[in-house]
Amino acid sequence: MREISQEIKDEYEKIKDKISFEEFLNKMEEYKKENEDVSFMDDISIAHMVIGNYITEKNENLEESKEFWKIKDLETGKQHLNLLGRVMNLSNVKKFTSKKGREGKLANLILADDTGRIRVVFWTENINLLDKFQEGDIIKINDVEVKQGFREDEAHMNIRSSLEKQDSQNFPDFPPYNDKITPLKDIKGDMEVNVVARIVRIPRIRSFDRNGRDGKVASLELQDESGTMQFTLWNKDTALIEDLELKEGDAIKIMGAQSRVRNGEVSLSHSWIGRMVKGDFDVPEYQENIIKLGDAHEMRNVTLVGLVSKVYDTITFERDDGSTGKVKSLELEDDTGAIRVTLWNEDSETEIKKGDIMKIIGGNIEFDDYSGTNYRVNTNWNSKIVINPSIDKKLKDVLSEVGKYIKPIKISELNNIEDDGEEVDVVGRVVNLYDPNEFQRDDGTAGMVRTTEIADETGMVRVSMWDSKAEYPLKEGDAIKIENARTRLGDYQVDLSVGRTSRVMKPSEEETEKLPSLKDVESMIYQDKKINDLAEGDRDVSIVGRVLSMGEPTQFTKSDGSSGIVRSMEIADDTGMIRVSLWDDQANAPLKEGEAVKIENPRINLRNDRIEISVGRTTIITKEKEDETSLPALDEIQEQLYPTKKIEEIDEGDQNIKVRGEVIDIRGNKILFEMCPNCNKRVNWVEDAYVCDICGEEIEKPNMLMIIGLVLEDDTGTISMTFFRKSAEEILGMNTLEAEEIIAATGDEGSLEEKVGDLVGRQITVIADASFDEYNEEVRLNAKKLVDIKL
């Protein structure tokens, strides 16, 4: 059984001699269902309706029967009363949402008779009665209930309330209504006034924090013949801008506005009992004064229109009180000049792009020696910003002419720029993208830079993206637009620097319409070359080859003291073979012998009279799909590249020759040699420590290098051959670490002599280079790859 409040029980006492308590509760339930959509109906109101029906049926009244009540005699709890009085104030209709989520409306009026004043509340179901009267009229309101309000008693209408307009002449004792219109210049603080004015500015509705709750405010600027003044709408009253469809230039009448003085300036606020009406009132037409940007000087509350020629990213900063703020800068231009604009906080979130027309109403112009345009426009909480506003055709044509140059330039046009630091916009496709690099600035702060290369149908440019711009999500093939990039003049080309004042974004469909695909860009930029066609100094070339061999990574110390890594490999196509050096991060590329690879934009060097390829961070290595490559198979390439020679046919300088023979002798029993980890040179054991003569340092733990020397014989002669590193491990069938462990376990460097000796009598086939040994005055072989080994 549901709990019944004592207040409901007290109401029942008024008619307990008419019906039972159970019948009373049942009738309440019936009324609840009938009025479930009525916004102001609570249990007490429903109980009053039940009681009212029984009083009407018997023509009895629990209160003294009167045609209407004097306001001074009203008390909380009195019901079914009639009121008579003059309308002193009438509010606009306000919308609300009930606790149950139902939408409703309400309006307030102040009713006065010769004894006092009271607030009367109209609810959703009574709103249509507002059309029957206006301020100053005398009305009779039938069937209201008096309730305790926020500060004092107030009368509430119900679903059966009615209203009748009366003849004012019959009530001479009622207080008069002051319908005087006050000129704006005559308004002082703490006044309730009626004004007629024209709206000259409607700023955006702004949010603020009011004791943990969201508040709203909008300050309209009004103008009449006497001057201008701000008129502020607070919280739910800000909805009147939309409800009344207000716009600049509208004439309005405001009744019951409240004035106040703040910082020496008088302003008006919309009162909870005030009303605003839009109409054809007699006020001067508003003449908008748009200043030319070339005439800018220190001014307040100005209106400007210009073309957005530059936009910078929004910056978030921390205020002294610990809160965060936002600021965004841009530049406006017209046919007379340019000016920097600073947008703060909410204004900084305005969607703006280059080429937009921007109108600022209520900005303040300040001198700014650092802006580049000498002056700066600051917006404030009461400024209005309009993007691409309706403007007259003449001004629109002027700004269109101004904006002809405000568009991205073609990449090939960068080569015409002769100055560092020029700001340009470009649109291109990402061709090459390199990993970000962290660095430390002179002031000790950490920085980050990422290099990418972008191209359009006219050429390619290298772009350095700094700090936060280096974190912009990109992948090869992406279309990208960069605004405010700064030029950097190099020895042979112009590069671009993308820093704090630059913007990186996705271009529009129109901007990418003529942008070639990644495949087309690569074919346009890179010249495909065969290996035998490469020449020293070649740039922007693309080579496709098959991996013949992969060396082990080698660490070294750079001139600045930092460590580096290099790895060698050989690749070949159907025209020849070339050595490739992979530096630093590229040395870790997951490549295997036999794979087809494409190398784009490498450095082509001449070393020891041979063309070699150097692959650093600006070079791209990708694996070719086997079903798409035109390269011969690995065995076909090897057969072509490695000519077989008898020992007697070998000449000094022979490269990549295939030699077959029997191992007839081993040269030396030491196969592991200590090497300096810094310079990779042999170290010496001196006074219980390893010392590198090159570095001049004591080496705590040297690297180990496996070297195996042997003598090879065929039916034409004999030749000495040396196996280094990987080739030595291949022929021994054991890696360097395993050899170290065996020697460490036995304590004897000769412990592997038997295993090395097992090579004698084996038939081997190797790929090797021939060189002349001046010490022994003989030609000898340096093994590069073990092809085969047999008993």
Side-chain angles (χ1 to χ4, degrees), residues 10 75 91 122 142 188 434 569 610 669 689 698 758:
D10 292 341
E75 296 177 2
S91 77
F122 286 62
N142 303 311
K188 305 295 188 291
Y434 309 104
M569 72 173 181
R610 288 185 181 179
N669 60 359
E698 185 176 305
D758 288 342

Side-chain angles (χ1 to χ4, degrees), residues 644-652 654 657 659-660 712-719 779 781:
T644 300
K645 279 198 172 187
K646 293 289 189 176
I647 290 176
E648 68 175 5
E649 299 171 343
I650 297 173
D651 293 323
E652 174 187 350
D654 281 345
I657 58 175
V659 182
R660 294 185 181 93
L712 192 66
E713 181 183 63
D714 66 7
D715 58 354
T716 67
T718 61
I719 194 168
V779 175
L781 293 176

Side-chain angles (χ1 to χ4, degrees), residues 547-733:
V547 178
L548 297 180
S549 64
M550 292 291 301
E552 293 297 323
T554 301
Q555 289 188 339
F556 64 93
T557 302
K558 299 178 182 178
S559 58
D560 62 0
S562 62
S563 62
I565 186 171
V566 64
R567 189 180 191 185
S568 295
M569 72 173 181
E570 289 178 334
I571 65 169
D573 61 13
D574 54 351
T575 69
M577 179 182 64
I578 194 167
R579 182 174 182 269
V580 180
S581 298
L582 306 173
W583 298 91
D584 297 322
D585 291 341
Q586 298 282 28
N588 298 316
L591 302 176
K592 296 184 297 185
E593 292 180 6
E595 287 183 327
V597 296
K598 177 189 283 187
I599 303 177
E600 296 173 313
N601 195 35
R603 293 198 305 273
I604 311 299
N605 305 317
L606 184 65
R607 182 180 178 188
N608 297 328
D609 296 325
R610 288 185 181 179
I611 295 294
E612 294 186 353
I613 290 176
S614 182
V615 174
R617 65 185 180 87
T618 60
T619 305
I620 298 296
I621 300 181
T622 54
K623 295 181 182 180
E624 289 272 280
K625 294 181 179 179
E626 286 297 332
D627 57 353
E628 295 180 0
T629 186
S630 59
L631 287 172
L634 180 61
D635 56 353
E636 295 178 36
I637 290 178
Q638 289 177 333
E639 191 67 30
Q640 180 179 342
L641 293 177
Y642 305 140
T644 300
K645 279 198 172 187
K646 293 289 189 176
I647 290 176
E648 68 175 5
E649 299 171 343
I650 297 173
D651 293 323
E652 174 187 350
D654 281 345
Q655 298 290 312
N656 298 306
I657 58 175
K658 185 183 292 184
V659 182
R660 294 185 181 93
E662 179 183 343
V663 178
I664 62 171
D665 195 10
I666 302 297
R667 292 288 174 87
N669 60 359
K670 182 177 175 66
I671 67 169
L672 293 182
F673 296 86
E674 296 79 8
M675 311 296 290
C676 174
N678 298 320
C679 66
N680 206 33
K681 300 297 183 181
R682 290 279 298 272
V683 296
N684 300 310
W685 181 258
V686 179
E687 297 180 358
D688 299 327
Y690 289 106
V691 176
C692 177
D693 293 336
I694 303 299
C695 297
E697 297 179 358
E698 185 176 305
I699 306 302
E700 183 177 348
K701 185 174 181 1
N703 292 336
M704 304 304 291
L705 171 64
M706 183 182 289
I707 303 176
I708 296 176
L710 51 79
V711 179
L712 192 66
E713 181 183 63
D714 66 7
D715 58 354
T716 67
T718 61
I719 194 168
S720 296
M721 177 179 288
T722 306
F723 291 78
F724 293 90
R725 294 188 176 88
K726 187 175 180 181
S727 62
E729 293 177 339
E730 287 179 341
I731 196 168
L732 187 62

Side-chain angles (χ1 to χ4, degrees), residues 30-31 38 65 121 191 257 268 292 349 352 378 380 383 388 431 467 484 535 575 598 635 724:
E30 291 176 11
Y31 276 114
V38 179
S65 179
V121 183
M191 295 174 65
L268 293 173
K292 287 290 188 179
E349 300 171 5
I352 307 170
N378 270 328
N380 55 70
S383 300
N388 297 318
V431 181
D467 300 322
N484 315 323
T575 69
K598 177 189 283 187
D635 56 353
F724 293 90

Side-chain angles (χ1 to χ4, degrees), residues 271-285:
S271 168
W272 65 275
I273 54 171
R275 187 160 69 108
M276 178 166 45
V277 181
K278 184 170 71 170
D280 186 16
F281 301 108
D282 185 19
V283 287
E285 292 296 326

Side-chain angles (χ1 to χ4, degrees), residues 225-254:
E225 291 181 339
S226 67
T228 61
M229 185 171 289
Q230 286 186 2
F231 174 59
T232 304
L233 303 173
W234 296 94
N235 303 317
K236 291 183 178 180
D237 285 339
T238 57
L240 292 173
I241 295 173
E242 181 178 348
D243 293 344
L244 299 178
E245 299 180 353
L246 299 179
K247 60 184 182 299
E248 280 90 355
D250 283 344
I252 59 172
K253 181 178 182 181
I254 306 170

Side-chain angles (χ1 to χ4, degrees), residues 525-545:
I525 293 174
Y526 296 124
Q527 179 185 3
D528 293 332
K529 277 201 168 187
K530 294 290 187 178
I531 289 175
N532 273 3
D533 296 331
L534 293 174
E536 181 185 9
D538 276 348
R539 294 173 59 87
D540 299 331
V541 297
S542 175
I543 307 108
V544 176

